[in-house]
Amino acid sequence: GGVVVVSGGGAESKIGGWRVGGTAMPRLHSIMRALAYLVLLALCIHLILSLVPTLRTGLEDYDDGSTAIGTSPLTAELCQYLELKETGAEGVVDSEEYKLKGMAVVFRHGERSPIVKDDLSSHHDCAPFRDQDRKSFKDYTEVVNSSEFARFLKVDKEFEQYPLHPLTSECSPGNLTAEGALQLSRLGNHLRRAYKKTELFNEENRLDVKVVVSPYRRTFQSSVALLSSFLFPLKELVDEVHVKYSNETFHCVDAFCVCPPALGWRLEYEKEHLAYFLNDTSELRERTQRIFANIDSTKASDDPFKMMDVLLGRYICRRHPLPCAKGGECVSYDLFKEMLMYTTRRGAEMFNAGNSFISARLHTAEAQAILGYVARMGEELKERPHTNRIKIFSGHDTTVGPLLRTLRIPYVDFPRYASHLVFEVYHDRAGNDHLRLVYNGHDRTAELPFCGGKSMCPMNTFTRFARSGIFATLGFSNATQLCDPTLTPQPHNAYV
């Protein structure tokens, strides 16, 4: 089905001689003929619409609260359209009582093209959708290509040949789009505004910045975009930033977090993930396989995550109509929402199923590095109280998701483009340190199961979880035991 708006205002027909109670009754036949013509025209329009099933805008599925561009609030959130405003609870505390001393931000890269190798030739460019955003992207590229930015940004040798920003001339599988870069630039602007007047940027203290990026062009370019608006405008406080290369998607660059089996566990998890779906007897599985197997761009996608990846990267976020199968059955926004609800439920079930799946062990292995770095940041702030600290991790949904999973924070699986998890470390007037957790702008600190519902989590409690509690939930004492494939997990609910 489609949406057709027929506007019939502004024209006025005068039928001369017609007067109620007058002598022009013969004109009645002309009016009746005109009405018959209008009825016939309406029937023709209805017939045409019934024969054009490929016209879909999303309004037929989500007509409540839809945005000006005609999509649902759900897809606008997942795609992070640039007309959305970046707001959030970052840094929103009693500044008289609490002084911000350190923060770590972990984020997923911005919008990208699908990972699945696909013919993207019909996508004439990967430029932003709106003219004003095209101009913003042009301005952005001028900033990151400037000699001043080159002096600010230093990178590991592995990144030296990476382009600083995405191309707009073409879309390529798995790579960042121009809108994806602007999403992280928007986030950087928000973080700068949120923290600029806090103790974090106190000119009397030194500021230590660490940036770690996974080995992909899309994550490198996302980190560049965030830095260009977050710290580059504060050059008087941060004159240079070095981007460190991590060969892992979970950002381990030190011995304490090394976990050699993690990559194999990730592959095993994805196989279990697919088998879980293929063995499902629900109507959803039958329907999705029937439709997607008959669409050229999705016929190679057998898992819901891959199906949704194609839908977002090729259609929804690029603002193209949703596809239809060769038999005429179309993908709908309702179906997309059902798939997202399914993967969210399935991910939680697999994680909580103990040894039935590899999920809990994998997610713990992928979360322990960044949690360990946040705990280490707390210790560094105590050892060097006149050095504030910022840690930045540019990664993937498989970076953000495991952190949320092990912290027991419910989330939509998969995390949207430019999802961000912020850890804030505060020092209070009594000399105590506290941790605050903000996910996509929402304060989630009170949900941490080891913090007793407090809005400010004692830093030592968080550190104990990061150093031992995260492993204790699987019956291990440390990362070495967790990553020893000869040992069998013994899951339980002890957090500390």
Side-chain angles (χ1 to χ4, degrees), residues 290-307:
R290 181 182 69 245
I291 296 174
F292 286 96
N294 288 290
I295 298 174
D296 288 340
S297 59
T298 59
K299 62 185 178 184
S301 306
D302 45 14
D303 184 274
F305 277 134
K306 293 181 180 178
M307 296 174 186

Side-chain angles (χ1 to χ4, degrees), residues 419-432:
S419 286
H420 49 284
L421 193 59
V422 179
F423 299 85
E424 299 174 341
V425 180
Y426 289 90
H427 193 68
D428 70 15
R429 289 193 291 186
N432 301 310

